[in-house]
Amino acid sequence: MEGQIIPIETQRLTIRPLTLTDLEPLCRILSDPQVMKHSIRGVCDEPATHRFILWCQTSYAEQGFGPSALIDKASGELVGFCGVGMERIAERDEINLGYRLAQCYWNRGLATEAARAVIDDAFRHFPVESIVAIIEPDHQASLRVAQKAGLHLDAKTDFHQRTVHLYRLTRQRWLQQNTASIRPTTPATD
């Protein structure tokens, strides 16, 4: 159905649009100072989380994508969000990958699993030429997620008066990574 975002299924997650029914569990996650330690916006209270969900819904309607709920298939719980959205970085509009997970779900590979699925979905279904991740230099966990998802250091820049590293994955590199396994091992002959 046109305009409807189809959920993405991974081995352990369902990735679906955020709704206002997610407000309470998402607020618990986004109000955790450890989860939000590297967030430009800082800790989110309920009104800020509500505004974030509404912004995501606007993004779905206008661009067809946005940060989405991560639902643990085993428990049915909302464990965080992951998705791409428009962001103005260094005087340029970029498609930015963002993710946050509840602390109790850290170090399980879920952020990488979600990031890979979201990136694949964006490149398969939208005319996206590249996807970036904005990462503070000392945020090692986020750096590992970006690298495992195929992004590479592209630049250092200022973002909201903070020095950040910009990691990028281009469509061309994504295609190379995703077609390498089906390329013939010997050159074709005419």
Side-chain angles (χ1 to χ4, degrees):
M1 189 180 294
E2 189 174 323
Q4 182 179 8
I5 298 176
I6 310 239
I8 302 168
E9 298 287 331
T10 70
Q11 181 180 353
R12 298 175 291 171
L13 298 167
T14 298
I15 304 170
R16 58 141 175 91
L18 284 160
T19 68
L20 289 176
T21 59
D22 297 316
L23 180 60
E24 186 180 321
L26 186 61
C27 186
R28 279 195 302 273
I29 295 166
L30 301 184
S31 65
D32 181 334
Q34 287 298 341
V35 170
M36 302 303 284
K37 180 179 177 182
H38 295 281
S39 170
I40 297 299
R41 291 161 190 83
V43 173
C44 292
D45 58 9
E46 186 172 313
T49 304
H50 185 264
R51 286 190 301 274
F52 174 70
I53 292 172
L54 293 178
W55 176 83
C56 292
Q57 292 176 334
T58 299
S59 183
Y60 306 149
E62 293 177 357
Q63 277 99 35
F65 53 79
S68 297
L70 301 179
I71 307 299
D72 177 46
K73 286 181 174 180
S75 68
E77 290 182 25
L78 180 121
V79 301
F81 75 83
C82 181
V84 294
M86 295 295 288
E87 191 76 57
R88 187 89 175 151
I89 306 165
E91 306 300 320
R92 188 174 162 186
D93 289 330
E94 299 274 10
I95 304 296
N96 177 51
L97 173 69
Y99 39 86
R100 296 275 186 275
L101 268 72
Q103 278 193 69
C104 61
Y105 287 93
W106 289 1
N107 301 312
R108 297 184 187 186
L110 291 173
T112 300
E113 184 175 321
R116 286 177 176 158
V118 164
I119 288 168
D120 286 350
D121 185 69
F123 281 127
R124 288 181 202 282
H125 298 108
F126 300 97
V128 174
E129 287 308 313
S130 71
I131 294 173
V132 300
I134 304 163
I135 302 174
E136 290 188 2
D138 65 336
H139 195 347
Q140 292 300 310
S142 188
L143 167 68
R144 285 189 299 277
V145 170
Q147 289 174 330
K148 288 178 182 178
L151 287 82
H152 299 273
L153 182 61
D154 183 56
K156 289 183 184 180
T157 190
D158 288 329
F159 183 70
H160 293 271
Q161 292 135 8
R162 292 185 185 182
T163 299
V164 296
H165 290 169
L166 198 63
Y167 280 74
R168 182 178 304 276
L169 178 61
T170 63
R171 175 176 291 280
Q172 180 180 5
R173 179 168 278 202
W174 175 81
L175 285 169
Q176 290 169 346
Q177 291 172 349
N178 286 287
T179 59
S181 62
I182 57 172
R183 286 189 181 148
T185 54
T186 58
T189 57
D190 289 308

